[in-house]
Amino acid sequence: RAYSKREYRELLDGYGWDKGSSEERRALKLAEHFQDFAHRPHALIQIPVTTLLRLCSEKYKPIIEELNQLDEDDITCDRVLKLIKDRQEQLKKEKESELPENLQYGVEIAGVNATRSFPLCTKMTSRREY
């Protein structure tokens, strides 16, 4: 039998379990986001719990919906990781398209593109090295 989040919490209370431990909160989060898999939990057996917890983020909700449409044999760890990577790329493109054009390509300072001339990921130097 599949339980709703409310029913699951009532069961926890009935058994006297504290809802505050991290393990129980994770179980509640997984139960909430993967309710559609309650009738076929073995479909997610190949996916590590850490990956399933990542999918509980609101930005990955479309991935859960897509997984729900797949056959059990088609749900693999590699496929889920690829879906996550594709979703991250899509979100990055959406975020970049929302930026004003002058911020997308860097700021011009004296005719020089500052993004290319002064990358953000540079070695930290101490004051003595100046």
Side-chain angles (χ1 to χ4, degrees):
R1 173 181 172 188
Y3 296 102
S4 69
K5 185 176 179 181
R6 172 184 263 159
E7 291 171 329
Y8 188 71
R9 285 186 183 211
E10 289 172 2
L11 281 174
L12 290 178
D13 286 339
Y15 289 118
W17 290 3
D18 177 24
K19 294 180 285 194
S21 78
S22 61
E23 185 175 343
E24 291 162 356
R25 283 195 309 264
R26 281 186 235 145
L28 286 172
K29 186 182 275 192
L30 289 173
E32 178 182 356
H33 287 85
F34 290 95
Q35 285 181 10
D36 296 336
F37 288 91
H39 63 283
R40 56 180 189 144
H42 51 282
L44 300 174
I45 197 102
Q46 294 184 24
I47 314 303
V49 174
T50 53
T51 303
L52 292 175
L53 288 169
R54 277 178 69 187
L55 291 176
C56 290
S57 170
E58 192 64 32
K59 64 183 178 181
Y60 295 128
K61 192 172 185 170
I63 294 175
I64 295 175
E65 294 169 1
E66 186 173 342
L67 290 176
N68 197 26
Q69 303 300 319
L70 296 175
D71 290 333
E72 295 170 10
D73 297 334
D74 294 336
I75 300 175
T76 63
C77 187
D78 291 336
R79 184 163 197 166
V80 171
L81 293 175
K82 183 179 181 331
L83 290 171
I84 290 173
K85 184 178 177 184
D86 293 345
R87 179 71 177 154
Q88 287 173 339
E89 290 172 1
Q90 178 188 3
L91 291 171
K92 184 178 178 182
K93 287 178 184 177
E94 288 174 6
K95 186 176 180 180
E96 287 175 353
S97 68
E98 292 174 1
L99 291 175
E101 190 173 323
N102 62 343
L103 293 178
Q104 286 182 23
Y105 303 105
V107 179
E108 297 249 345
I109 300 175
V112 177
N113 189 327
T115 307
R116 293 190 184 135
S117 301
F118 309 104
L120 295 176
C121 298
T122 58
K123 177 184 168 194
M124 297 291 290
T125 56
S126 66
R127 287 186 161 185
R128 292 184 202 138
E129 293 180 17
Y130 284 46

